[in-house]
Amino acid sequence: GAVVSQHPSRVICKSGTSVKIECRSLDFQATTMFWYRQFPKKSLMLMATSNEGSKATYEQGVEKDKFLINHASLTLSTLTVTSAHPEDSSFYICSAREMGGKDTGELFFGEGSRLTVL
Amino acid sequence: AQTVTQSQPEMSVQEAETVTLSCTYDTSENNYYLFWYKQPPSRQMILVIRQEAYKQQNATENRFSVNFQKAAKSFSLKISDSQLGDTAMYFCAFMKRTGAQKLVFGQGTRLTINP
């Protein structure tokens, strides 16, 4: 149980285009999902907190117009990188908290999505 | 704001040996969780072990155990009888029990288990 799936796992796009990454909780409902960015050999940096039915909360320094987050249902959050540039190339990871689950603090992580912008 | 510090960027031990990864954190909170996550080459984040701050007893999960020193704000991970499959990046992480419950990660320790 408690599986989170990200799609696509790898994506290559041209500079100036937009790319959408999906994060789905497959066997549970998640009112809250989190999006992280990870540079090579570095730690995970929280970008934003995605709340179902409301606007995402962005961390300081993260451009909300650049990284659009939509949490339209209890099982799906999407991250859209708009007008992508080579510096947006990175590994993006989502995590989800089970709604109504036991308060263990545990988050379930997706497999990650590697974005390469040419 | 909370910070998590892992002072060992890389470690390497022989198979079957015991290894301890260090982690310290800074917070003014009294009620929180601490975690160790493993990220193997597949990049999938895997929860290794979890500790609740109000519990004095150190958490254990099979070959993995922690030494939680709340006053010192220290949370080290001990891996006993290390296996080749333990090779991965290990991240220490902090989460408040209240509010947004965001994970704050340390910088990571790259652990290599040699045959």
Side-chain angles (χ1 to χ4, degrees):
Chain A
V3 178
V4 175
S5 177
Q6 269 184 253
H7 178 80
S9 57
R10 291 177 179 268
V11 56
I12 301 173
C13 70
K14 293 182 178 180
S15 188
T17 61
S18 295
V19 174
K20 180 185 285 187
I21 300 170
E22 294 185 345
C23 177
R24 292 183 185 272
S25 55
L26 297 186
D27 51 2
F28 67 98
Q29 293 183 325
T31 51
T32 304
M33 291 184 173
F34 302 90
W35 286 96
Y36 310 83
R37 183 172 181 176
Q38 186 178 30
F39 291 103
K41 298 185 179 181
K42 297 293 184 182
S43 188
L44 282 72
M45 180 191 77
L46 180 65
M47 299 174 65
T49 302
S50 169
N51 300 297
E52 187 267 337
S54 64
K55 290 183 179 180
T57 303
Y58 290 82
E59 295 298 303
Q60 193 172 12
V62 177
E63 300 176 62
K64 60 181 180 182
D65 295 331
K66 170 68 139 175
F67 300 100
L68 299 180
I69 291 172
N70 184 28
H71 194 152
S73 78
L74 288 173
T75 59
L76 174 65
S77 177
T78 60
L79 168 68
T80 301
V81 183
T82 62
S83 186
H85 289 282
E87 57 265 30
D88 298 325
S89 298
S90 194
F91 193 67
Y92 293 89
I93 306 175
C94 72
S95 68
R97 172 175 297 117
E98 185 174 2
M99 182 180 75
K102 195 176 174 183
D103 182 19
T104 63
E106 185 173 1
L107 298 180
F108 303 98
F109 285 81
E111 315 96 316
S113 301
R114 177 169 301 286
L115 170 63
T116 302
V117 184
L118 303 177
Chain B
Q2 289 76 33
T3 58
V4 179
T5 303
Q6 292 177 250
S7 58
Q8 304 151 312
E10 293 187 20
M11 295 189 74
S12 178
V13 298
Q14 295 298 119
E15 193 175 7
E17 289 184 347
T18 294
V19 60
T20 299
L21 307 184
S22 302
C23 173
T24 58
Y25 59 95
D26 188 25
T27 185
S28 59
E29 299 287 326
N30 193 48
N31 200 3
Y32 51 87
Y33 298 106
L34 292 164
F35 305 88
W36 279 98
Y37 280 92
K38 169 185 177 180
Q39 188 180 40
S42 67
R43 307 296 292 271
Q44 174 75 55
M45 295 290 285
I46 301 167
L47 177 64
V48 175
I49 201 165
R50 181 179 67 92
Q51 176 80 40
E52 296 176 63
Y54 71 87
K55 289 187 177 179
Q56 292 185 343
Q57 186 173 9
N58 289 324
T60 62
E61 286 288 342
N62 301 313
R63 297 182 296 108
F64 300 87
S65 62
V66 298
N67 183 3
F68 173 46
Q69 301 290 326
K70 190 173 183 180
K73 296 180 182 172
S74 169
F75 184 61
S76 61
L77 173 69
K78 185 171 83 171
I79 306 174
S80 303
D81 185 26
S82 56
Q83 300 174 0
L84 297 179
D86 295 333
T87 293
M89 279 289 288
Y90 286 81
F91 293 100
C92 179
F94 172 100
M95 178 194 284
K96 290 195 303 182
R97 283 197 73 163
T98 56
Q101 291 191 305
K102 299 183 287 189
L103 271 174
V104 177
F105 287 94
Q107 305 92 323
T109 296
R110 182 171 299 280
L111 176 64
T112 301
I113 309 299
N114 298 306

